Amino acid sequence: METGSELRLVEERLIEAAAVLRRLPAQRGQGYFSTWPTMFVEFSDLVGQTPEPMRLPPPSAAAISRMEATLGWMPWLEPIDAKIAWLRASGTRWKEICWEVGLARAAAHEHWLYALCVIAWRLNGRGRVKRIGKRRLIASTPRQGA
């Protein structure tokens, strides 16, 4: 398998993990409940109200397992690289990422590529990245379409 396609797979897994995390049901506080009886809503009560937005169904168990495995990759990265990779996987625009982390667009993109390369490096069974600079690791990784 080519490394360029591995980077694409790593990116897709991060995007899927962010999407699964968004689709999980909201956490509710325990111990709070209502003793009031449930209200029966009639059609006339609903006239003029905006309908609730449609939500995607909760993720499958396999998707949650893949998300948990993907989140296990984050400790391999430096905190700023992990933050940029997660923000990008969440669909945040580059301009907002740059404001969030305080880097220029080119530097933020380099950190993002480095994060993908480190994850692909570790998934290929290699140990921690030692004595290899960011630019050297990125340059040694062939990329498709980038």
Side-chain angles (χ1 to χ4, degrees):
M1 178 184 297
E2 294 181 15
T3 311
S5 61
E6 290 174 6
L7 291 182
R8 187 172 307 224
L9 291 175
V10 167
E11 182 182 5
E12 289 173 2
R13 284 284 297 269
L14 287 171
I15 291 170
E16 181 194 17
V20 166
L21 203 55
R22 274 193 305 270
R23 287 174 46 196
L24 287 175
Q27 189 174 13
R28 297 173 49 189
Q30 294 181 355
Y32 295 101
F33 61 93
S34 175
T35 59
W36 286 82
T38 57
M39 281 185 30
F40 293 107
V41 182
E42 295 181 9
F43 178 75
S44 60
D45 296 334
L46 299 176
V47 173
Q49 292 184 0
T50 57
E52 291 186 20
M54 296 283 292
R55 290 183 50 101
L56 290 172
S60 66
I64 293 173
S65 297
R66 285 192 304 270
M67 178 205 62
E68 289 173 345
T70 303
L71 291 178
W73 301 344
M74 289 297 149
W76 298 344
L77 305 174
E78 295 293 324
I80 191 164
D81 297 334
K83 185 173 190 175
I84 290 171
W86 189 255
L87 286 172
R88 191 65 189 148
S90 299
T92 308
R93 298 182 56 187
W94 279 114
K95 187 173 186 175
E96 296 169 18
I97 293 173
C98 294
W99 276 97
E100 180 95 16
V101 297
L103 293 173
R105 164 70 166 82
H109 187 260
E110 187 174 281
H111 279 272
W112 175 70
L113 276 177
Y114 180 70
L116 296 181
C117 290
V118 167
I119 291 171
W121 178 278
R122 295 289 299 264
L123 289 175
N124 284 333
R126 299 181 184 134
R128 293 184 51 194
V129 179
K130 296 179 183 176
R131 299 189 190 117
I132 298 177
K134 262 184 201 166
R135 292 185 178 161
R136 185 173 171 200
L137 181 64
I138 293 170
S140 67
T141 305
R143 294 182 305 279
Q144 294 176 344

